[in-house]
Amino acid sequence: KMYVCGPTVYDKAHLGHARCYITWDMVYRYLKFSGYDVKYCRNVTDVDDKILKKAEDQKKTVEEISSTYYESFKASMEKLNLLSPDIEPFATKCIKDMIEIIEKLIEKGYAYEADGDVYFQVNKFKDYGKLSKQPLEDLSSGIRVELSDKKRGNLDFALWKRDEKHGYESPWGKGRPGWHIECSAMSKKYLGSTIDIH
C-alpha cells in the first residue's frame, strides 16, 4: 500500500512535480516488477487557498480552476510516460471522512476548536517529531506558518479552517480542511489504517 501526496491543482505542473512523480512511478514499477501486489493511491487537492485566490483573480469558479489544472497535470504526467495510480481520490469528495476524523481527535483531546477553526494540539501527542528524530523545542525554531492568536501552541496546525464563502458544512460551521487531515483521511479511506509507504 503506497500513498503519495498528489498535486494541488491551481497551476500547471512544474519540474518539482516531475521529479516527485517520476520517483514514485519508478518505485511503483519496481515493486510490481519484483512481484508485489501494489495498491498505489495518489490524491488530488482540489480545495486550497491558492485555488481560491486563482479563481477570484480569474473570475472563475473553484471547480473551473481545479478541473482545468487537474487535466493539465494529467496530460503532463502522461507525456512523462508515468503510470496512473490505482486510486486517485479528490479531497472535496472525502470531506465527510475528514470531519469524522477531526471529531474523533477532538473527542480524544488531541484537537480543539477556536472560532470555527480546528487545530491539532502538537504537545498533546507525546511522539510528535519521533519520525524526524527532532524534539518539539527544535521544531519550534523552524516554524514556517503564520502565527495565530487562536492557536494554543505555535506548532499546532489547522485541521479545519473557517470559510463562510467557499466552505462545507461541519459541526464547527462552514469551513474547509487543512492539508494534514486530507491525506490522513484519504489514505485511511482507500488503503486502510496502516500503509507501507507514504
Side-chain angles (χ1 to χ4, degrees), residues 3 101 104 183-195:
Y3 185 89
I101 292 173
K104 284 181 188 161
C183 286
S184 299
M186 288 185 275
S187 68
K188 185 174 184 195
K189 180 173 184 169
Y190 294 100
L191 297 177
S193 294
T194 58
I195 56 179

Side-chain angles (χ1 to χ4, degrees), residues 17-138:
H17 293 114
R19 187 215 53 85
C20 175
Y21 301 119
I22 288 170
T23 299
W24 293 109
D25 184 72
M26 289 170 58
V27 171
Y28 182 43
R29 288 173 189 262
Y30 180 74
L31 289 170
K32 287 168 75 89
F33 170 78
S34 299
Y36 288 94
D37 178 18
V38 185
K39 203 178 209 182
Y40 172 20
C41 181
R42 182 183 70 206
N43 76 296
V44 177
T45 297
D46 58 342
V47 56
D48 179 74
D49 292 339
K50 292 175 181 175
I51 298 170
L52 296 173
K53 182 169 178 6
K54 183 150 274 187
E56 196 174 294
D57 291 349
Q58 295 189 0
K59 311 257 186 289
K60 292 185 176 178
T61 66
V62 171
E63 292 75 22
E64 286 173 315
I65 294 297
S66 60
S67 63
T68 296
Y69 289 111
Y70 169 68
E71 291 304 323
S72 171
F73 170 81
K74 225 166 77 167
S76 295
M77 297 305 107
E78 285 168 11
K79 284 178 185 168
L80 292 170
N81 194 32
L82 304 188
L83 297 175
S84 296
D86 299 305
I87 307 161
E88 193 173 43
F90 284 68
T92 54
K93 305 289 185 235
C94 300
I95 299 290
K96 182 177 165 280
D97 305 277
M98 295 171 206
I99 290 171
E100 286 174 6
I101 292 173
I102 294 169
E103 286 178 315
K104 284 181 188 161
L105 289 169
I106 291 172
E107 189 182 303
K108 292 181 176 185
Y110 290 111
Y112 58 93
E113 187 266 340
D115 192 30
D117 292 344
V118 180
Y119 295 97
F120 184 87
Q121 191 167 352
V122 169
N123 68 4
K124 292 280 187 177
F125 186 67
K126 69 177 180 67
D127 285 336
Y128 194 85
K130 186 176 182 178
L131 285 175
S132 62
K133 297 181 176 49
Q134 293 185 320
L136 283 180
E137 48 279 3
D138 288 358

